[in-house]
Each structure stands twice: as C-alpha cells, then as structure tokens.
Amino acid sequence: MTLGKWRSNRLDELGSSIFAEVIQWKKEARASGMNVIDLDIGSPDKPPSAAVMETISAAALNPKQYGYMGTRGSDAFRQTAAEWMAFRFGVQVDPEAELLSLMGSQDGLAHLAMAICNPGDEVLLPNPGYPIYAGSLAIAGVKPIFYPLTAENGFLPDVEAITEEQWRRATFILLNYPGNPVSTVADMALFELVLEKARKHDVLVINDAAYSEMAFDGFVPPSILAADGGMERAIEIHSLSKSYNMAGCRIGFVTGNREAVGALRELKDNIDYGIFSVVQEAGVAALKEAMSPSAPPKAGRLYEQRRDVFVQALQANGWQVEKPRATMFLWAALPDMAWAHPDGPWTSRLIARELLEQTGVAIIPGEAFGSEGEGYVRLALVMEEERLLEAAERIGRFIRGEARVQQHSAT
Ligand SMILES: *Cc1c(COP(=O)(O)O)cnc(C)c1O
C-alpha cells in the first residue's frame, strides 16, 4: 500500500492532533471504569428555548419545507438577522448585499481564506486561536502571520507590536471577541485601533463573534461593525450555536463589507445549496424571541453562575484561576503542582493527560490552540454546578498529589 495516495497532505495542517488524543485518553479512562467529567468540549449542554423547538417540530411536518433553499438564505432569516443586528448593536445592514446565512460560523470561517485570498497571500491570526482559523488558511494555501495573545498584554492583541511590514503583507486580520480559548473581551476602543491600522494598510478585519451573547458582570459585547468605518472595512461572523443553544442546527450568518460577504456567497454558491428551511425558521424564531419583551435570559446568565461557583471552588482547592468576563471557558495558567512527574516538567499536555488518568476530569491542553497556549489549559463550563464542584474537588486532590496516591494504592 502506498501511504498518502488517497489522503491529501493538506489534512495534516488541519487543527491539532491533541483534540484526537484527548478523545483517546477519555476512551481509555472510561474503559478503566473512570467516571469522566467532560470539561474539554465547547458544546452547550442546554436545549434551545421551547419556542425554537416548537417551531422546528411544526415546520418539519410541513411537506413544503424539503426543497433546496439556495445559498444566500431565506429572505425571512436574512431580514430577521439584519433586524437583530440593529436591535442588538445599533448597526444597519442591507440584508440583500451585506448579510449571508451560514451553516454555523464554522462554515464561514472554514471558507473565508478561499473566498477572500489568493494562494500565497498572508493573514494575521491570533495565537492561541480557534483551530479552524489556521485550518482555513491551510486549505486555501494562505500563510498565517501569528500575533500573540499573552498575559502581559491582558491576552489582547498588541496592535503596535504588529510590524508595518506584517500589516502591509496581510490580506485580513482575524479577531475573536469575546474569545475562545482565551476568554477575553474587546471594547470599542480596541476595535477602533485595529480598524485604524487596517485602514492605513488596506487590510480587511474579521471578527468571530460566536460568543456575543455570553458575557458576564453586565458587560455587553459590542459589534466591530458599530465602530467608525466598520461597515467599510470589517465583516463579523455570528452564530446561533452558543447564543441560543442551537449548535446541532448549524445556523449563523456573516455580515458587513459587501465585497467580502459577496465573495463568500459566490464560493458557497458552488459548494452548498443552503440551510434546511426548518432550521432557518428556527433561527428566525430564536432571533425574534431575543428581540421580544418576553426574551428569555441571555445564554451568559447560566455560565456566569457556573463561573462563579467553579472559580471559587478551584481557588479553594489551590488553583488561582482568573475569572473570565465572557464565554463558557476558563483559560487557566497551569496550577502550582505539589509533586513532580517522572516524565519531566509539567506541560499543558502532561497535566491534561495525568489529570484525566488520575481523576477523570477532561480538559484541553493550551498548546492545542497554538504555541502561545503552552503553560495554559482550557476548562469548559458545560456541566451542572454539582459536577463542576466535583471536578474542582478532584482537581484539588490531583494538585496536592493525593489522587496519585489513591490511584496507586487502589491498584
Ligand atoms: C463554537 C465556535 C465557533 C463555531 O460555531 P458554529 O456556529 O457552531 O459553527 C466559531 N468560533 C468560535 C470561537 C467557537 O468557539
């Protein structure tokens, strides 16, 4: 057999193998009888609202809902999404030319570079960053220029540290606020600073706003499109997955600069024939409900409570993690371990592996999101408080070296 005959080398550049490794570790832990607590995945654990599920249920029984929909999305969905942009951010967009429905933001993110760049172009990406950002470039033969998100700069891009040369070479810069895996937020001032640089060097700005409805402590994430000149120079990608617990439905949209939105539409016209109409109706229901006086609490409410409970419990167990201001993740510097591991100094990967093996708590090593992620791990708040408290207990025993002792004495 010739290895690699029917498998593109390009696939090696997609994402990190660490995610697959974590899945394998979990399998082994479960096989050994471990009760695993999944804090690794970023999938909301709650269902959508009753209104959304009732819409899906009724629409699914309508025999007219099963035809091709067309790439750009139903008029009703685009119109409602445009209304939501105005309601939520005070941004006016033309639902015909400046807004396109997506099969989740992943669809838009994966196809971005192919639609917007030529092979050999370069693009500014955050490190650490959500894996498909680099994956999208790999598919399109586009080169990343990574800008670091470090603790020294509050995990925000140091816009001045990106050189003139890098700005000049870049076709676009990708931002992700509120962010994953680094759960920081951006204010309008940061957006305006980036836009100013981008204008100077004729660079497009893209903001992945998947967590716009998951912010805490009263913070309301702004849209980059509301910044001065945002509509001319930026596009923003929105998702109903996290905002309305609709991750499996696959629906979101991109809006902003019409040339960039149009390019993505042209590409997608050749790839897919649109989102299932039942899902688009559900999307309309979710957005309309969010704009109604009887809107349910924002998705952030639940995660804010969990954050408070979990952070306090982790701190009580000897891990001084920071409180994020948004998203469903803790981005935590490695704890001060009370014991040494025979395999060498603690790395994010070693900690994640040992924690899972000894206690059954599954987390993601920071290096899965890029080289700057080393020294950190990501914990997802996707379990009920009771399970989070249990996880904090186990993590405490692990840090103190008691989990190891128990495990060994048990065998
Ligand atoms: C979950 C997530 C997405 C993808 O969401 P979908 O809309 O479900 O495709 C995009 N960006 C970030 C940062 C995410 O965490």
Side-chain angles (χ1 to χ4, degrees):
M1 189 180 81
T2 320
L3 272 179
K5 190 175 171 198
W6 293 312
R7 184 181 178 282
S8 166
N9 296 338
R10 207 179 279 130
L11 298 176
D12 294 337
E13 293 171 58
L14 288 182
S16 150
S17 56
I18 297 178
F19 292 95
E21 262 185 274
V22 174
I23 291 170
Q24 186 57 34
W25 297 341
K26 285 212 288 188
K27 227 186 237 168
E28 286 162 16
R30 286 209 164 92
S32 76
M34 191 76 85
N35 173 328
V36 173
I37 306 182
D38 305 283
L39 306 187
D40 53 330
I41 41 164
S43 185
D45 57 311
K46 295 285 181 192
S49 73
V52 169
M53 290 195 287
E54 277 154 19
T55 302
I56 291 183
S57 155
L61 290 173
N62 176 352
K64 296 212 180 84
Q65 301 272 25
Y66 291 85
Y68 287 124
M69 282 305 289
T71 303
R72 63 172 55 205
S74 72
D75 291 346
F77 179 72
R78 272 181 293 108
Q79 183 64 45
T80 309
E83 282 165 26
W84 184 83
M85 287 300 292
F87 167 84
R88 179 59 183 79
F89 304 108
V91 171
Q92 305 296 327
V93 301
D94 172 0
E96 283 300 315
E98 293 168 340
L99 196 143
L100 173 70
S101 65
L102 297 173
M103 295 175 169
S105 39
Q106 195 83 359
D107 170 20
L109 292 164
H111 293 128
L112 264 182
M114 234 196 294
I116 290 171
C117 305
N118 291 312
D121 281 0
E122 296 179 51
V123 159
L124 282 157
L125 292 186
N127 176 5
Y130 188 62
I132 194 60
Y133 302 159
S136 162
L137 305 198
I139 295 169
V142 171
K143 282 183 262 175
I145 307 170
F146 288 108
Y147 64 84
L149 302 177
T150 61
E152 296 78 69
N153 209 49
F155 298 107
L156 293 171
D158 184 351
V159 178
E160 298 300 334
I162 301 172
T163 66
E164 295 274 313
E165 162 73 13
Q166 289 175 323
W167 277 112
R168 217 173 20 252
R169 294 201 324 250
T171 306
F172 66 79
I173 178 170
L174 208 141
L175 306 176
N176 170 213
Y177 293 104
N180 168 23
V182 187
S183 33
T184 43
V185 296
D187 57 12
M188 208 50 129
L190 177 68
F191 284 153
E192 276 169 358
L193 186 62
V194 174
L195 280 168
E196 189 188 307
K197 286 279 184 185
R199 200 173 298 122
K200 189 167 158 208
H201 298 285
D202 204 17
V203 169
L204 176 73
V205 185
I206 300 175
N207 185 40
D208 174 1
Y211 294 95
S212 71
E213 307 313 289
M214 262 191 208
F216 314 142
D217 310 321
F219 181 77
V220 183
S223 166
I224 192 166
L225 302 182
D228 221 12
M231 284 300 291
E232 286 86 64
R233 176 94 6 230
I235 58 175
E236 195 162 68
I237 303 188
H238 287 273
S239 170
L240 279 67
S241 296
K242 282 53 177 249
S243 303
Y244 305 112
N245 296 321
M246 293 172 71
C249 296
R250 311 313 300 138
I251 186 161
F253 61 92
V254 56
T255 181
N257 176 279
R258 62 179 64 209
E259 190 183 7
V261 169
L264 202 49
R265 182 191 308 121
E266 244 183 279
L267 176 69
K268 275 171 54 62
D269 265 338
N270 292 278
I271 293 180
D272 65 71
Y273 295 118
I275 303 161
F276 185 23
S277 80
V278 167
V279 169
Q280 297 199 49
E281 281 201 16
V284 168
L287 295 173
K288 281 212 187 305
E289 190 177 35
M291 292 187 278
S292 80
S294 57
K298 280 196 181 184
R301 164 93 70 89
L302 171 77
Y303 295 95
E304 181 171 356
Q305 281 168 14
R306 289 180 179 175
R307 172 203 66 171
D308 290 342
V309 166
F310 195 39
V311 166
Q312 195 189 25
L314 285 174
Q315 289 178 348
N317 275 287
W319 194 358
Q320 301 313 311
V321 300
E322 305 255 342
K323 262 192 181 187
R325 292 177 68 198
T327 82
M328 49 192 191
F329 304 108
L330 304 185
W331 181 246
L334 301 187
D336 286 328
M337 296 292 290
W339 55 288
H341 194 282
D343 287 358
W346 289 110
T347 61
S348 65
R349 191 175 167 284
L350 187 58
I351 282 223
R353 195 193 76 198
E354 283 297 313
L355 178 67
L356 183 52
E357 212 166 87
Q358 293 182 22
T359 73
V361 177
I363 59 175
I364 301 283
E367 69 156 309
F369 303 97
S371 55
E372 297 286 344
E374 185 48 77
Y376 296 86
V377 288
R378 192 192 74 174
L379 302 89
L381 302 164
V382 291
M383 293 276 142
E384 300 290 357
E385 287 176 20
E386 199 193 332
R387 288 293 272 173
L388 292 173
L389 289 172
E390 165 71 22
E393 276 288 304
R394 295 191 197 178
I395 289 170
R397 287 201 300 274
F398 171 75
I399 292 173
R400 295 188 296 272
E402 296 159 17
R404 175 183 50 145
V405 175
Q406 276 175 10
Q407 196 194 30
H408 287 174
S409 59
T411 49

